[in-house]
């Protein structure tokens, strides 16, 4: 038994498939940007410059996304609380 409306359920499944497609595209971009040039030798300096900077950027982006997710979570929590209060007021007015 589901408690979500059918439209929201369909929308969520659509977003899931879009996220999968975008992750494939992002994976291709990432692997291309990290790849070494043909014939380039792997040295300590190349590894530090290429991969060190790349993973530093990934770490910074992950922290930024955590902050965004926490902010969105707080906003959604406030919206749900407001909707519950509005629903309670409507229920009292109907009685």
């Amino acid at each position: 038994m589901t408690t979500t409306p059918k439209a929201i359920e369909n929308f969520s499944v659509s977003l899931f498939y879009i996220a999968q497609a975008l992750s494939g595209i992002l994976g291709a971009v990432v692997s291309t940007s990290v790849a070494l040039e043909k014939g380039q030798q792997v040295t300590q300096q190349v590894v530090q410059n290429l991969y060190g900077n790349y993973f530093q950027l990934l770490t910074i982006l992950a922290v930024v996304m955590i902050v965004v997710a926490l902010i969105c979570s707080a906003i959604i929590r406030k919206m749900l609380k407001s909707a519950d209060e509005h629903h309670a007021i409507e229920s009292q007015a109907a009685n």
Side-chain angles (χ1 to χ4, degrees):
M1 179 179 214
T2 181
T3 58
T4 58
K6 196 69 172 168
I8 293 176
E9 194 173 308
N10 292 340
F11 181 69
S12 298
V13 171
S14 298
L15 283 179
F16 173 73
Y17 286 122
I18 290 171
Q20 279 188 318
L22 289 177
S23 70
I25 293 170
L26 181 63
V29 169
V30 166
S31 65
T32 303
S33 68
V34 175
L36 294 175
E37 297 293 327
K38 189 173 185 174
Q40 188 175 8
Q41 295 295 321
V42 178
T43 63
Q44 182 79 21
Q45 185 178 7
V46 169
V47 170
Q48 280 182 334
N49 288 337
L50 182 63
Y51 298 113
N53 293 339
Y54 176 73
F55 285 107
Q56 180 183 13
L57 176 64
L58 279 182
T59 303
I60 291 169
L61 290 176
V63 170
V64 168
M65 291 307 295
I66 289 170
V67 170
V68 169
L70 288 173
I71 291 170
C72 289
S73 174
I75 292 170
I76 291 170
R77 195 174 302 117
K78 286 180 184 179
M79 290 172 66
L80 289 173
K81 183 179 177 184
S82 175
D84 287 341
E85 290 171 356
H86 181 70
H87 181 68
I89 291 171
E90 282 184 348
S91 295
Q92 288 176 354
N95 293 331

